């Protein structure tokens, strides 16, 4: 990069030690840092809004004359300045922190330009702590938008604006600054980097103001492109780094695989077979597998994972299977025991609640080379030492973060070999988003459900019709079917959720005396949970009242009715997961979404989507549209993907071009690729250098 880029900020005019210190608190050390310290938003001071036209919650500039000044000290100091304008409306300016000089500066008759967010208060509009300046009748308006930067104590907006201008003046020409090849830039219809930076920091008069405010200006798109590209390159580099390490060569034993498949009560679907083929190839290649298996709820990912674990044991390496909840991990345990123990594999259980002697025994078995270890986060704890971990399987990957995945992988690094990684998710995410979120992974999709499944019929009914729902359960249970009743709560409190489930359980027991009902929530002892699950699986319990603990993975094919209470509170992904607990057998299944009025427009739309489709892919796309990517990909994960200008929903369509650009740069200009990563991500992100 150019010399200008690495010049320290204290070289700039007016940057003394105090300002330099404040700048470094914003991680701003060099000119380049300042170029990429982008405005959060803009203030439009190019026009005046009459007070009469102010709107609650919107920022505006007003020009008005001071009518009255009032200082009060009720609970704390307070300054109220009343102003009015030609629209003959009044506006109150309110200050809680102010200096004496500032208060005395307001005198009736003084003409001010005021900028801030208007709120509607009892006595009309007010603005709290507005920015203001004295003006004359003929003071010209700003001709351009005013940027607002992320600031910190000791450094104000005006200083940042001034410094940004100085830094921009030292911007080298594009040949030096811009890492995107010209052809690519033109193909994506993007301005040069220098041009983009000049526009966002100091929008010229001719700028499309509306576009800039809406963050859709080409200059912003250019910067978003670079930011996405930097993340893409960071993830690719992580991938390359991993793939450069040797991994155990795993070739499955044909006889044992045949024995496994012959013992299954079903044949693999074509899609399962294809995905297993992808995994077989990866495992045999001598490089660490990095594969994401995506498959809708109920598509049969578990058995594919078990076949991979069997292959690992054929090659005498261990497999770790990690699930996000204990309930799901236990279910895996039972499946793996069922499928793998008859073939002579040793399966070990390790969850957080395994303590004392049992834990010591589990740890000893793991260290002695047990074939398959199944558990929760507990698998990643210190003290868990594998003899030779060769395959790490992570179920419901969206519940974990990238770093947790890396932590489990690190368990198996013995300096020479890196374990293979297989991650599975039932949260189908649109392809463009997957490109951004999982750039370090190869993706296989199980795009087919096992045969004989009938789509779940979904209805949404108001809570006022609870009696009808209870009757429906009674009929279903009398017909030999089984049902779930899920009680979610909005609070993230297991305790409150458990209470709600308990209350519903008692209600339903009163209403359905002939139905054997079970209760399941996260506060129960693992053994009790297990016995309830077992009884439900065995059909002894006909109705299971549960909290959202059953959200992921639980599999009881005979259950064909799902009631979800307070469905209006849940997001689409969660509703889809919960609904996926039914429709697993041959019986026609249904799902009743019970909602409490009032129903927000958003909730109404979500329920409509659930009624319309069972397609996890469509639902994910809708979810992305309604909620934004953070929650679709999983909060932890996007927590590590904090974008400054990019927005995965808005910018999704450029992802294919971003991926192309990443390929090109990594191949032709690796130094520029590195520069881009440090420009946008710096050293802060683990995955950029892991
Ligand atoms: P998910 O992909 O949601 O994790 P599971 O692995 O839990 O799905 O599988 C759902 C159910 O489908 C399980 O009962 C499983 O045994 C069953 N299953 C898996 N594959 C097949 C298949 N090819 N044919 C019939 N049933 C299958
Ligand atoms: Mg599953």
């Amino acid at each position: 990069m150019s010399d200008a880029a690495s010049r320290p900020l204290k070289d700039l005019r007016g940057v003394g030690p105090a300002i330099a210190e404040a700048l470094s608190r914003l991680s701003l050390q060099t000119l380049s840092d300042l170029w990429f310290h982008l405005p959060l938003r803009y203030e439009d001071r190019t026009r005046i809004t009459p007070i009469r036209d102010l709107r609650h919650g919107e920022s505006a500039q007003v020009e008005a004359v001071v009518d009255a000044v009032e200082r009060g000290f009720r609970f704390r100091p307070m300054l109220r300045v009343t102003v009015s304008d030609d629209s003959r409306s009044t506006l109150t300016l309110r200050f809680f922190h102010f200096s004496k000089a500032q208060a005395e500066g307001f005198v009736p008759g003084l003409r001010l330009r005021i900028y801030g967010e208007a709120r509607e208060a009892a006595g009309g509009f007010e603005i709290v702590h507005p920015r203001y300046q004295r003006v004359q009748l003929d003071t010209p308006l700003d001709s351009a938008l005013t940027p607002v930067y992320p600031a910190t104590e000791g450094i104000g907006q005006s200083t940042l604006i001034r410094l940004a201008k100085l830094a921009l003046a030292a911007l080298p020409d594009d040949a030096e600054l811009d890492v995107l090849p010209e052809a690519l830039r033109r193909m994506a219809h993007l301005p040069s980097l220098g041009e983009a930076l000049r526009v966002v920091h100091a929008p010229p008069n001719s700028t499309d103001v509306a576009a800039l405010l809406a963050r859709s200006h080409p200059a912003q798109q250019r910067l978003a492109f670079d930011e996405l590209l930097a993340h893409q390159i960071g993830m690719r580099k992580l991938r390359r780094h991993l793939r450069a390490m040797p991994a155990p060569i795993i070739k499955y034993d044909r006889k044992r695989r045949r024995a496994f498949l012959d013992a299954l009560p079903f044949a693999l679907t074509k899609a399962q077979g294809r995905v297993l083929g992808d995994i077989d190839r990866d495992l045999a290649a001598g490089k660490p597998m990095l594969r994401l298996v995506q498959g809708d709820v109920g598509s049969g990912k578990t058995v594919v994972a078990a076949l991979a674990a069997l292959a690992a044991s054929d090659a005498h390496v261990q497999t770790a299977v990690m699930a996000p909840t204990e309930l799901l991990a236990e279910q895996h345990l039972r499946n793996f025991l069922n499928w793998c123990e008859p073939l002579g594999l040793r399966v070990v259980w390790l969850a957080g609640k395994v303590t004392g002697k049992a834990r010591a025994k589990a740890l000893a078995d793991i260290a002695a080379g047990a074939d398959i270890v199944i558990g929760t986060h507990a698998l990643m704890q210190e003290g868990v030492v594998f003899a030779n971990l060769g395959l790490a399987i992570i179920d419901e990957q969206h519940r974990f973060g990238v770093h947790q995945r890396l932590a489990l992988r690190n368990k198996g690094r013995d300096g020479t070999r890196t374990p293979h990684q297989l991650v599975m998710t039932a949260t189908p995410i649109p392809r463009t988003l997957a490109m951004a979120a999982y750039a370090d992974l190869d993706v296989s999709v199980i795009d087919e459900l096992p045969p004989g499944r009938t789509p779940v019929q979904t209805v949404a009914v108001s809570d006022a019709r609870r009696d009808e729902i209870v009757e429906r359960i009674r009929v279903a249970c009398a017909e030999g079917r089984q049902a779930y009743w899920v009680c979610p709560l909005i609070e993230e409190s297991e305790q409150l959720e458990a209470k709600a489930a308990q209350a519903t359980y008692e209600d339903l027991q009163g209403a359905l005396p002939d139905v054997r009902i079970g209760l399941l929530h996260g506060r129960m002892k693992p053994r009790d949970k297990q016995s309830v699950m077992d009884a439900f699986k065995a059909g002894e319990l006909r109705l299971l009242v549960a909290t959202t603990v059953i959200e992921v993975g639980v599999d009881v094919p005979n259950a064909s009715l799902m009631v979800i209470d307070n469905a209006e509170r849940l997001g689409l992904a969660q509703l889809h997961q919960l609904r996926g607990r039914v429709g697993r057998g041959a019986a026609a299944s249904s799902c009743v979404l019970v909602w409490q009025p009032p129903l927000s427009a958003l909730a109404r739309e979500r329920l409509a989507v659930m009624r319309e489709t069972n397609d996890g892919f469509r639902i994910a796309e809708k979810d992305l549209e309604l909620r934004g990517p953070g929650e679709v990909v999983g909060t932890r994960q996007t927590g590590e993907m904090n974008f400054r200008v990019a927005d995965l929903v808005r910018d999704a369509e450029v992802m294919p071009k971003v991926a192309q650009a990443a390929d090109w740069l990594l191949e032709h200009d690796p130094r520029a690729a590195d520069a881009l990563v440090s420009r946008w991500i710096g050293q802060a992100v683990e995955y950029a250098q892991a």
Side-chain angles (χ1 to χ4, degrees), residues 266-269 272 296-303 450 453 555 584:
F266 50 76
L268 295 189
T269 61
Q272 283 170 316
D296 208 349
V297 198
S299 60
K301 295 181 288 294
T302 319
V303 71
R453 304 263 172 95
D555 181 42
R584 297 181 157 241

Side-chain angles (χ1 to χ4, degrees), residues 191-382:
S192 77
L193 184 59
E195 200 179 324
L197 286 172
R198 270 186 278 271
V199 169
V200 298
H201 283 293
N205 302 349
S206 57
T207 309
D208 180 345
V209 171
L212 205 58
L213 291 173
R215 298 170 153 269
S216 60
H217 192 281
Q220 291 160 316
Q221 286 173 346
R222 166 61 210 256
L223 294 169
F225 190 94
D226 280 27
E227 184 174 29
L228 291 168
L229 181 57
H231 279 261
Q232 186 80 18
I233 289 171
M235 291 176 91
R236 301 265 185 112
K237 288 188 64 141
L238 165 62
R239 179 186 162 81
R240 284 191 177 185
H241 177 72
L242 287 177
R243 296 276 291 169
M245 301 202 244
I249 294 177
I250 296 175
K251 292 190 175 133
Y252 68 91
D253 179 293
R254 283 174 191 281
K255 265 207 236 133
R256 292 229 291 175
R257 174 163 293 181
R258 190 52 24 241
F260 182 108
L261 292 174
D262 285 347
L264 282 181
F266 50 76
L268 295 189
T269 61
K270 257 208 203 96
Q272 283 170 316
R274 196 187 61 237
V275 171
L276 183 61
D278 293 343
I279 295 172
D280 286 339
R281 265 191 305 284
D282 287 350
L283 290 178
K287 291 182 206 165
M289 167 169 76
L290 293 166
R291 188 166 292 278
L292 172 75
V293 171
Q294 198 174 296
D296 208 349
V297 198
S299 60
K301 295 181 288 294
T302 319
V303 71
V304 174
L307 282 156
L310 177 64
S313 103
D314 294 339
H316 310 290
V317 295
Q318 294 174 288
T319 299
V321 182
M322 185 166 78
T325 67
E326 199 158 302
L327 202 67
L328 179 52
E330 276 163 9
Q331 187 177 279
H332 285 333
L333 177 68
R334 261 168 309 133
N335 279 325
F336 277 69
L337 281 172
N338 202 0
W339 292 327
C340 298
E341 255 192 353
L343 295 168
L345 274 66
R346 286 157 301 154
V347 182
V348 174
W349 168 244
L350 186 68
K353 284 171 187 150
V354 177
T355 53
K357 271 194 192 143
R359 182 176 161 86
K361 167 110 178 44
L363 292 181
D365 288 346
I366 296 168
D371 299 280
I372 301 176
V373 184
I374 298 181
T376 54
H377 299 79
L379 292 184
M380 296 186 304
Q381 282 163 4
E382 262 175 69

Side-chain angles (χ1 to χ4, degrees), residues 88-127:
R88 270 181 279 157
S89 314
T90 40
L91 169 70
T92 304
L93 314 180
R94 211 182 262 279
F95 299 85
F96 299 106
H97 316 282
F98 52 91
S99 66
K100 190 155 169 265
Q102 192 182 9
E104 284 166 359
F106 289 107
V107 286
L110 186 68
R111 175 171 289 271
L112 297 175
R113 249 177 226 158
I114 299 149
Y115 189 95
E117 185 184 315
R119 345 209 94 261
E120 200 149 12
F125 278 105
E126 62 176 41
I127 299 181

